[in-house]
């Protein structure tokens, strides 16, 4: 699926997605056009989905993050999903198996703001909330190494 050069390019970009084509080419020993073509193929294959930035929520005043497990009441699944999508403080949300239907990350400035957001879905879902104290592992891609076969 990935050769050594693809893995090396991805590793460099994971560390800094702003690395220039020229710098990428130097680091992997290819020409800039060759690197550009490899990146285009990785995008075409859906391996690279986006080049993005990492914003610090605290720098924007979001002092608290919470993980919220959400169990919609019977017949309310689509309504709850639409609400989650419309509330911008929900930074991400996964639809999961098990007792809860959704596990979401919420960015808030205060406990009062958290309560206000949860109140918006309280009549449509049960929630269980945990405040995040620290993030020992930040979001990272899956390992790029090929498994031993």
């Amino acid at each position: 699926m990935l050769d050594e050069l693809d893995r090396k390019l991805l590793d460099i970009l994971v560390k800094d997605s702003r690395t220039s084509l020229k710098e990428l080419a130097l680091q992997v020993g290819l020409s800039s056009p060759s690197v550009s073509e490899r990146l285009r193929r990785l995008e075409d294959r859906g391996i690279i989905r986006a080049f993005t930035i990492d914003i610090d929520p605290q720098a924007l005043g979001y002092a608290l993050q919470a993980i919220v497990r959400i169990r919609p009441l019977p017949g309310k699944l689509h309504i709850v999903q639409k609400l989650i999508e419309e509330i911008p403080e929900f930074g991400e949300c996964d639809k999961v198996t098990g007792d809860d239907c959704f596990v979401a990350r919420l960015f808030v400035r205060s406990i009062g703001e958290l309560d206000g957001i949860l109140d918006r879905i309280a009549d449509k879902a049960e929630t269980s909330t945990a405040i995040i104290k620290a993030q020992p592992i930040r979001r990272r891609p899956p390992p790029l190494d090929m498994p031993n076969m």
Side-chain angles (χ1 to χ4, degrees):
M1 294 203 17
L2 295 176
D3 66 18
E4 187 59 35
L5 285 172
D6 289 340
R7 283 194 290 278
K8 191 168 184 180
L9 285 169
L10 291 172
D11 186 52
I12 294 166
L13 290 170
V14 163
K15 292 176 183 142
D16 182 3
S17 65
R18 293 180 54 178
T19 304
S20 69
L21 279 176
K22 181 179 177 182
E23 182 59 31
L24 284 168
L26 285 171
Q27 290 189 42
V28 299
L30 293 176
S31 67
S32 291
S34 294
V35 168
S36 180
E37 177 61 22
R38 279 182 173 267
L39 293 177
R40 186 193 60 73
R41 284 192 307 227
L42 289 168
E43 288 179 274
D44 289 348
R45 291 169 53 198
I47 294 170
I48 294 177
R49 293 188 295 194
F51 294 86
T52 187
I53 60 173
D54 182 19
I55 296 174
D56 181 357
Q58 287 191 337
L60 297 177
Y62 294 97
L64 299 171
Q65 292 183 46
I67 299 295
V68 184
R69 300 184 65 81
I70 303 164
R71 183 185 316 188
L73 298 174
K76 303 289 184 179
L77 179 75
H78 296 294
I79 294 168
V80 170
Q81 182 172 332
K82 187 168 176 23
L83 271 173
I84 293 168
E85 290 169 358
E86 292 173 351
I87 298 171
E89 289 83 2
F90 280 106
E92 61 185 45
C93 179
D94 295 311
K95 195 171 189 179
V96 298
T97 61
D99 292 334
D100 303 311
C101 291
F102 302 103
V103 176
R105 180 177 293 261
L106 189 58
F107 299 101
V108 292
R109 292 179 170 91
S110 66
I111 294 294
E113 185 177 24
L114 174 65
D115 285 342
I117 291 168
L118 295 178
D119 285 348
R120 291 174 62 183
I121 61 174
D123 62 334
K124 297 164 194 67
E126 295 176 5
T127 62
S128 174
T129 304
I131 300 296
I132 296 171
K133 295 182 349 179
Q135 192 175 21
I137 298 175
R138 296 182 53 78
R139 178 178 293 269
R140 61 184 176 197
L144 299 176
D145 298 335
M146 299 302 286
N148 295 333
M149 300 190 128

